Amino acid sequence: MLQETITGDQSARSWADYVVPQCWESFTVDDHAVWDLLFARQVELLGTRVVSAFLDGIDLLKLSHPGVPDVEGLNAILEPRTGWRTVAVAGLVPDDVFFAMLSERVFPVGNFIRTREQLDYLEAPDCFHDMFGHIPMLAHHDYAEMTRHVGELGVAAIVAGEGHRAARLYWHSVEFGLAKEHGELKILGAGLASSFGESHLSLESDEVERLPFSVRRAVNTPYKHDAFQPRYLVSQSLEKTIAGMLALTAEELLQL
Ligand SMILES: [Fe+2]
């Protein structure tokens, strides 16, 4: 996930400085049980309320295998497929680092999992949010390329002092986007796909706004990073959003 405010030193800093060993063997029996509990609960909750590419990705990447996935095992399937790989990080990374990773087809995943006592409350995205929410879609070739492109846009926007534009674009699609599929409203974003509380709310609540997605609207719509979203942007289709995002240049992003 991203933070709305771009802060910190934007000088030359390598994303590799933020990579840590996953230390998969350090996950306890209870950590693995928490993953299994979250996985079973979320798959049942989502059913077919999520874009089909997400469910395809779960199968392709064998994420239903019990226990916290190990980064190397995941990469052994993901990297030959779309060129993406995951790396472990200790927590939220700064936006410039995050976008630089995406631009090189690297996705950071937390090297920790929430506790059983905090199943539905997260201060920082853990490996369940990152691996269950994000990684399945990175097995989809065009979506994977779109995500890389968003990384490039993010790097350029931050250099121009306009990082919030890319952050909003990312937020309203990759993180909290909805999408139509065969006329039905589906979850697209990882923040929704991995959330027990917000997945149904985003689709079914009468209390939230749902507006058609466009890159212009996404870039100009602020978001909340510490609460359920008051509004969601709905893609006409996954394919149209991918095409629209891939067509967006960094120069255009700064003008929208
Ligand atoms: Fe996320």
Side-chain angles (χ1 to χ4, degrees), residues 1 129-130 134 170 175 190:
M1 286 198 194
H129 166 78
D130 293 327
H134 284 285
Y170 175 88
E175 204 66 71

Side-chain angles (χ1 to χ4, degrees), residues 34-228:
V34 167
W35 171 280
D36 292 344
L37 176 64
L38 288 166
F39 185 92
R41 189 178 75 156
Q42 203 63 21
V43 164
E44 186 182 350
L45 182 74
L46 289 176
T48 57
R49 292 181 175 89
V50 63
V51 293
S52 53
F54 181 90
L55 298 173
D56 294 344
I58 293 269
D59 289 342
L60 279 162
L61 299 170
K62 305 189 192 313
L63 285 168
S64 59
H65 186 274
V68 174
D70 81 283
V71 157
E72 286 178 19
L74 201 51
N75 291 345
I77 309 175
L78 182 62
E79 201 163 4
R81 185 170 168 81
T82 60
W84 275 79
R85 65 192 171 95
T86 59
V87 294
V89 292
L92 213 53
V93 299
D95 288 8
D96 59 331
V97 171
F98 182 71
F99 283 129
M101 285 179 161
L102 297 191
S103 74
E104 296 190 40
R105 296 191 181 90
V106 171
F107 202 92
V109 299
N111 66 343
F112 62 95
I113 191 161
R114 69 198 75 178
T115 64
R116 199 177 282 276
E117 291 70 39
Q118 290 189 312
L119 279 192
D120 299 314
Y121 177 74
L122 279 187
E123 285 182 23
D126 68 346
C127 70
F128 183 75
H129 166 78
D130 293 327
M131 286 176 159
F132 179 87
H134 284 285
I135 306 305
M137 292 301 289
L138 295 177
H140 183 285
H141 289 100
D142 294 340
Y143 195 87
E145 179 55 17
M146 182 199 86
T147 310
R148 186 203 59 75
H149 183 64
V150 171
E152 269 187 4
L153 294 175
V155 169
I158 288 176
V159 168
E162 296 284 334
H164 66 283
R165 291 172 175 267
R168 289 174 178 177
L169 187 65
Y170 175 88
W171 191 268
H172 292 299
S173 54
V174 175
E175 204 66 71
F176 284 95
L178 298 174
K180 290 277 180 70
E181 191 173 83
H182 307 303
E184 285 184 44
L185 191 60
K186 304 276 184 178
I187 287 167
L188 170 62
L192 298 175
S194 63
S195 168
F196 189 72
E198 197 168 355
S199 48
H200 276 229
L201 178 123
S202 66
L203 292 177
E204 291 150 18
S205 172
D206 296 331
E207 311 282 305
V208 301
E209 250 186 310
R210 294 179 196 85
L211 303 169
F213 175 90
S214 69
V215 291
R216 179 185 297 277
R217 176 169 278 147
V219 167
N220 290 292
T221 304
Y223 60 82
K224 288 177 176 287
H225 66 83
D226 55 358
F228 288 170

